[in-house]
Amino acid sequence: MIRPILHYGAPELRQKAAPVTDFTPDLSALAADMIETMHGAPGIGLAAPQLGVPLRIVVVDLSAGARPGEAFTLVNPEWVRREGMQLEEESCLSLPGLSATVARPARVVVRGQDVEGRSIEITGDDLLARALQHEIDHLDGVLFIDRLRGIQRRLLLRTLARRQSRERA
Ligand code: ZN
């Protein structure tokens, strides 16, 4: 089931999500909804807080649904290693229409669990490293605009403030 994605300004996007402790059929159903919602958007990653669910779950599919079997779910992710640095354009389903060049680690190793609670470890570089860092940031209430500095950050914040005052008007 496709669920609505929360947009910038929703308090749920700024909360720290809690670890998953129960690997129930409800969790599998939630992960399936997350993947469907990510594909429907379409996007290459989604975190549970973006659906208003304060749990440490992310889904990633670099093909955005084009290649079956490429989507995966990572529960309770923990960094094992982050190294290097890459600068690429990035956007977020919770900040539609905005993008910016964000510094991210070039290579990452992350450990976590699948929807059944089995341990998994994922090694990623380039786009996968970026997507994992972006989605795991969501679990701590961090958005890509928080990773910007200087003029780029000021411009994006001004655009967002203008949008929010329009929505209130
Ligand atoms: Zn995002």
Side-chain angles (χ1 to χ4, degrees):
M1 183 182 75
I2 290 183
R3 302 198 195 184
I5 297 174
L6 297 178
H7 285 176
Y8 181 81
E12 291 92 332
L13 291 175
R14 291 310 200 170
Q15 284 157 11
K16 196 171 161 67
V20 171
T21 52
D22 299 321
F23 292 82
T24 60
D26 283 350
L27 177 69
S28 302
L30 170 62
D33 283 356
M34 286 174 65
I35 289 173
E36 206 179 325
T37 304
M38 167 179 68
H39 286 161
I44 64 164
L46 191 73
Q50 292 180 278
L51 302 184
V53 179
L55 290 173
R56 303 189 78 78
I57 312 164
V58 305
V59 295
V60 173
D61 181 350
L62 295 190
S63 82
R67 291 189 292 272
E70 189 139 331
F72 66 88
T73 305
L74 186 58
V75 180
N76 299 332
E78 300 279 355
W79 296 115
V80 178
R81 207 160 45 239
R82 280 178 286 182
E83 41 189 38
M85 200 267 273
Q86 55 168 319
L87 274 173
E88 294 291 340
E89 184 97 346
E90 191 168 315
S91 56
C92 176
L93 295 175
S94 294
L95 292 140
L98 292 183
S99 63
T101 304
V102 186
R104 296 287 191 188
R107 286 170 302 279
V108 301
V109 180
V110 62
R111 202 173 282 155
Q113 288 152 291
D114 67 11
V115 282
E116 270 141 31
R118 290 178 296 232
S119 291
I120 49 173
E121 189 173 288
I122 293 164
T123 300
D125 55 12
D126 301 331
L127 185 59
L128 181 54
R130 167 172 300 279
L132 285 166
Q133 178 71 62
H134 178 115
E135 299 313 330
I136 293 171
D137 271 355
H138 274 301
L139 304 182
D140 295 317
V142 174
L143 302 173
F144 81 86
I145 50 168
D146 304 326
R147 299 278 185 193
L148 303 173
R149 269 177 256 166
I151 184 101
Q152 226 192 352
R153 180 183 168 83
R154 283 201 300 276
L155 284 172
L156 274 194
L157 288 176
R158 200 181 301 160
T159 306
L160 285 166
R162 224 181 286 135
R163 252 190 218 180
Q164 284 188 312
S165 61
R166 252 206 318 271
E167 275 161 26
R168 272 195 301 269

